Structures are given as C-alpha cells and as structure tokens.
Amino acid sequence: QATSVEVTLRSWPTRGRLLKALEGPAEQRPDVYLLNRRDLGRVVDDGVNRSLFGLLQARDISYGDGFSQRSIAAFSAQDDLQCIPYGVSPMVMYYNTDLVDFADMRERGLPAPDEELDSWDWQEMAAAVRYAVRKHPRARGISISPDLESLAPFLYAGGGQVFEGDPPTSLNFSDGTNVDTLAQVLPLLRNPNLTLSDDQLAKADPVTWFERGRLAMVEGYRSLTPRLREVRGLHFDVLPMPRLDTDATVGEQEGLCVSPGPKVQPAADFLVYAISDEGMSTIAETGYVVPASLGVARSESFLQPDQQPMHAG
C-alpha cells in the first residue's frame, strides 16, 4: 500500500546555527538532519542523535556493500553507526578547457596528463599553469588560497601530515617532508606572473575570475559545479589534485542523522528512502553532491555525461 508523507524542509545558514538548534528544546529539533562529519563528536557527546544500526537492521537494510568502509567508519562511534554517509566530496582542480589544451601541450612535448584525464602529477600541473599564461597573457594560471584547507592536499600528496600528534596537538608545517613540499609548490603558487594579484583578489574572488575566463585553474568541491554550469560560454572540466609523492586530497563528508524522541520510527523510514538508489539519484541529479552510495556515484545520475564536467568520475 502506497503511503503519502509530507516532509517539511528546514535550513540553517551555518553549521553553528544547526548545532545550536540541535541543542535546543527537543520538540524543535529536526527529525532527520544533514551533519558535517567534523561535528559528529559534538552531536554524539550531546546525545542529540540516535544510533542507527538497530533501526536499519529492523528494516532489513544492509549498508556494508553500498558505501565505502571508510565512509561508514567515519560516521561510526561507540561501536555503532551514528549517522549514515550521504555526501562525500573530494577537493578537485577545476580547469578552463579553453585556456588549457592538453592535446596541444602533448604535441609541443610539454608534460601533460594522458588522454584518460584521470590523474596528473605536479610537473604536469605546473606546465599547464605556465602554458595557460603564455597562450593567454591576460589570464592567470592558478589561484590557491593561503589557508590550511587549500594547502593540505599538497602536503598530504607530498607524503606529509598536516597535524602533529594523535590526537593532534599542533600543526606540522616544520616537518622536513612538509618543508620539502612547500619548497616545491610555493614558487609556483606564489609567482606573481602566474597567480592573481592582491588588487585582483580585492576586486573579485578566484571563482569569479574563473567564471570570467581569466583564471585557468581553481580548486573546489562538487558543490561548485551547478554555479559554473550557469555561466554562458564557460568550458570547464575537472582533474584530481596533483600527485607529488602520492595521490591525496581533502574532502567534505556529510551524513544523515536521526534525532532521538517519539518520531524516531517514521524518521528512520524516511532515512531508508533517502539513502536508497532512488532517493540519492534524485539528489545527485541536482549536480551539487557526490553521493556516498557507490552505485549512484557510478551512475549517470551523478556522472551526467551530457553536461560539464566531462570527467566527473
């Protein structure tokens, strides 16, 4: 028998505002909510989520094969699944395909990724940055924000660690491996002939310069894709963050959590639909999310081969 259920969608402008709402009166909490992985410890400590293993088992839902074990582990604590992985978006490099022509670079004998465009190394990225500026003098090659999140993929790819200690107690920038990595990447990332100037950044952020066709590369997550698709005349694709000693990046992980209380059972029913292939495909088609479901992430609902970027995989 089909059942129609009315769902009210609520949103908060920041993670902090959501956490504050979760800590408020129980009757005002959302029944199901989307949580950033970095806030999981706080939610579990405050007791404002309901562990899921029993609820899913009662509904004959097995998530062992449908999600990566790493994402399941990320949302597990106290020997139970606390929230179900929903979105897992790695930081990647967006590039303007009108400013960077890898086929032309290969013909010129320049370092360039192979035709599959599923990986590249630091030398290939550096060559592409310089190529874009030589071919298009009014454009800049790349803009990497001077902050921890933006530099972390390069440090990890160089074989280093961002933090020191377990649990971490301090940054690890003085480690010899990280010093070597920074010595390799900063001469390019801080080159005034290749990057946006302070005056340019005062006028607009890197994504805006990218939208204007004046910046060859910008780092970002999947959530940037719909915005770029709306820019008329902009042609773009994506590549992973470049390999130094190894392939590495950082990412955003989000999970769906259930609030404890009298509505746990209907909330769990909704959760089951939300993480189904049908439910996740509906969200993946918006273009904003890398679905945590492995099957949906490999499907056309996410890959969208008729839309940019061509190499969404």
Side-chain angles (χ1 to χ4, degrees):
Q1 180 180 356
T3 302
S4 177
V5 177
E6 181 177 336
V7 175
T8 301
L9 180 65
R10 298 171 60 191
S11 63
W12 289 264
T14 65
R15 290 169 37 227
R17 294 283 291 275
L18 168 62
L19 293 173
K20 187 175 181 179
L22 292 175
E23 294 166 356
E27 64 274 9
Q28 296 181 14
R29 296 173 191 159
D31 303 317
V32 179
Y33 56 92
L34 190 66
L35 185 77
N36 191 291
R37 169 59 183 82
R38 68 191 70 179
D39 298 321
L40 181 65
R42 178 172 170 179
V43 164
V44 173
D45 289 344
D46 290 344
V48 292
N49 76 298
R50 171 71 149 78
S51 58
L52 298 180
F53 180 77
L55 293 173
L56 296 177
Q57 187 179 48
R59 288 159 176 79
D60 198 26
I61 300 299
S62 173
Y63 51 81
D65 297 330
F67 300 84
S68 76
Q69 289 304 306
R70 185 171 293 182
S71 65
I72 292 295
F75 284 99
S76 297
Q78 302 175 357
D79 295 323
D80 207 331
L81 182 66
Q82 301 296 329
C83 301
I84 191 76
Y86 194 67
V88 183
S89 181
M91 180 181 286
V92 298
M93 191 68 71
Y94 286 80
Y95 69 96
N96 184 312
T97 57
D98 292 327
L99 301 182
V100 179
D101 186 339
F102 290 124
D104 185 53
M105 289 178 62
R106 286 190 287 268
E107 289 181 4
R108 294 170 180 263
L110 298 172
D114 59 32
E115 294 183 1
E116 282 75 21
L117 294 179
D118 55 3
S119 68
W120 58 347
D121 60 28
W122 171 257
Q123 288 72 27
E124 291 164 346
M125 195 194 84
V129 168
R130 296 187 176 97
Y131 169 90
V133 175
R134 283 198 302 268
K135 293 281 289 186
H136 308 276
R138 294 186 68 248
R140 298 293 87 186
I142 192 170
S143 181
I144 300 296
S145 300
D147 57 40
L148 187 61
E149 182 179 21
S150 296
L151 289 174
F154 299 99
L155 298 180
Y156 286 128
Q161 294 293 320
V162 174
F163 301 103
E164 184 176 10
D166 185 18
T169 56
S170 64
L171 294 176
N172 201 28
F173 274 45
S174 61
D175 176 76
T177 300
N178 286 337
V179 171
D180 291 343
T181 298
L182 293 172
Q184 182 178 1
V185 303
L186 289 184
L188 178 88
L189 301 182
R190 296 175 62 185
N191 188 323
N193 297 317
L194 303 175
T195 63
L196 295 171
S197 68
D198 289 342
D199 288 342
Q200 288 174 311
L201 290 171
K203 296 176 182 177
D205 63 23
V207 174
T208 301
W209 286 107
F210 187 83
E211 291 174 321
R212 295 172 179 173
R214 297 282 301 281
L215 182 64
M217 300 180 203
V218 66
E219 59 188 1
Y221 298 104
R222 177 69 184 194
S223 56
L224 183 57
T225 293
R227 172 177 169 178
L228 297 181
R229 285 175 175 173
E230 294 179 356
V231 181
R232 182 175 299 180
L234 177 64
H235 304 119
F236 68 92
D237 205 345
V238 293
L239 273 162
M241 299 301 286
R243 180 176 61 257
L244 280 84
D245 288 346
T246 186
D247 293 304
T249 190
V250 296
E252 290 287 348
Q253 296 192 80
E254 294 173 323
L256 283 175
C257 312
V258 172
S259 292
K263 296 184 179 180
V264 162
Q265 298 304 326
D269 292 338
F270 173 79
L271 183 73
V272 167
Y273 170 74
I275 65 173
S276 69
D277 285 354
E278 179 184 358
M280 278 204 167
S281 294
T282 300
I283 297 300
E285 287 169 359
T286 68
Y288 285 93
V289 177
V290 180
S293 165
L294 298 176
V296 178
R298 299 185 184 115
S299 72
E300 290 195 0
S301 296
F302 168 68
L303 297 176
Q304 301 175 349
D306 58 336
Q307 297 191 64
Q308 302 183 91
M310 289 297 295
H311 294 85

